[in-house]
Amino acid sequence: MEITSDNTEMGKAVEHHIISMLLKHGFDVYVPIIDKGTDLIVKDENGGFIEIQVKSRRINCDDDCFFIKDFEVRRNFLIICHNWNEDKFFVIPSLIFHRHSKLQENKTYRELTYSKLKSKGCQEEKGLDFLRKALESKSNRVKLFLDEEDEEEVNAYISSIKNETQNC
């Protein structure tokens, strides 16, 4: 059977490949119903969450580029770039991608060379470690809009529920 040459099919296949790999490594992965620049959301039990855009290309040389629609830099927005030819991926924060990429003349897409990605991104296992650390960052926590007293009450309630379920 021949491997697809359709970019949409290839992109979707890589997204599912990345989802599978993240699940195997213990991440909670969610897929938005509508794709507006976020392909996946990864979260943890403490309210940390990261938005991820997955990009895949057939890379033949270091000057080949990954392209992404221009985006707003966010602390909890990461980009996973997958090299289809080598089946390798790199995790790169949106800030780093944005800083080292070039805005195309049409001002719609940003492009980052593979050589720049390799020097600035975290490859495979290091990328997964980076994702774990990003989830643990307090800046990536969903903030409860409670004052301190209410937050203590909520935390006490959650603890009591956990204790009750452990005793069942």
Side-chain angles (χ1 to χ4, degrees):
M1 180 180 275
E2 193 173 308
I3 294 177
T4 184
S5 62
D6 181 277
N7 288 338
T8 303
E9 290 175 2
M10 184 176 81
K12 196 51 78 175
V14 170
E15 282 178 29
H16 285 273
H17 174 68
I18 297 295
I19 290 168
S20 174
M21 185 259 320
L22 291 170
L23 290 170
K24 286 178 189 175
H25 284 86
F27 291 98
D28 288 341
V29 182
Y30 300 85
V31 180
I33 293 172
I34 299 173
D35 179 355
K36 291 190 175 184
T38 299
D39 294 318
L40 314 171
I41 297 171
V42 178
K43 68 179 244 8
D44 68 10
E45 65 277 355
N46 297 316
F49 76 100
I50 301 291
E51 297 176 54
I52 297 174
Q53 175 74 45
V54 177
K55 290 295 172 188
S56 183
R57 289 283 320 268
R58 286 184 168 95
I59 299 293
N60 296 309
C61 69
D62 280 351
D63 290 334
D64 284 350
C65 294
F66 282 91
F67 299 92
I68 186 170
K69 267 189 184 171
D70 197 18
F71 55 88
E72 179 184 328
V73 171
R74 296 185 305 280
R75 181 181 297 274
N76 68 332
F77 179 45
L78 302 178
I79 301 162
I80 295 179
C81 296
H82 177 268
N83 179 345
W84 182 273
N85 290 346
E86 297 177 357
D87 195 24
K88 289 183 181 175
F89 70 90
F90 295 83
V91 177
I92 186 167
S94 63
L95 171 69
I96 304 298
F97 191 104
H98 199 275
R99 183 181 297 151
H100 295 280
S101 62
K102 183 172 78 175
L103 189 60
Q104 290 183 324
E105 286 183 29
N106 65 13
K107 299 193 184 305
T108 305
Y109 285 87
R110 302 196 75 78
E111 61 183 66
L112 183 71
T113 64
Y114 190 54
S115 63
K116 189 64 77 169
L117 175 66
K118 290 191 299 187
S119 70
K120 300 296 179 185
C122 299
Q123 187 176 341
E124 309 210 349
E125 287 299 323
K126 288 183 180 179
L128 295 175
D129 290 340
F130 181 85
L131 179 54
R132 276 188 196 88
K133 288 177 185 163
L135 278 171
E136 294 168 2
S137 170
K138 289 189 181 202
S139 62
N140 292 331
R141 298 273 171 244
V142 175
K143 305 254 187 292
L144 296 175
F145 297 98
L146 305 171
D147 61 29
E148 216 172 285
E149 187 177 309
D150 288 338
E151 193 166 342
E152 287 176 18
E153 183 179 339
V154 168
N155 288 335
Y157 178 71
I158 290 171
S159 292
S160 72
I161 290 173
K162 284 182 180 177
N163 290 336
E164 285 178 21
T165 56
Q166 288 175 350
N167 295 332
C168 291

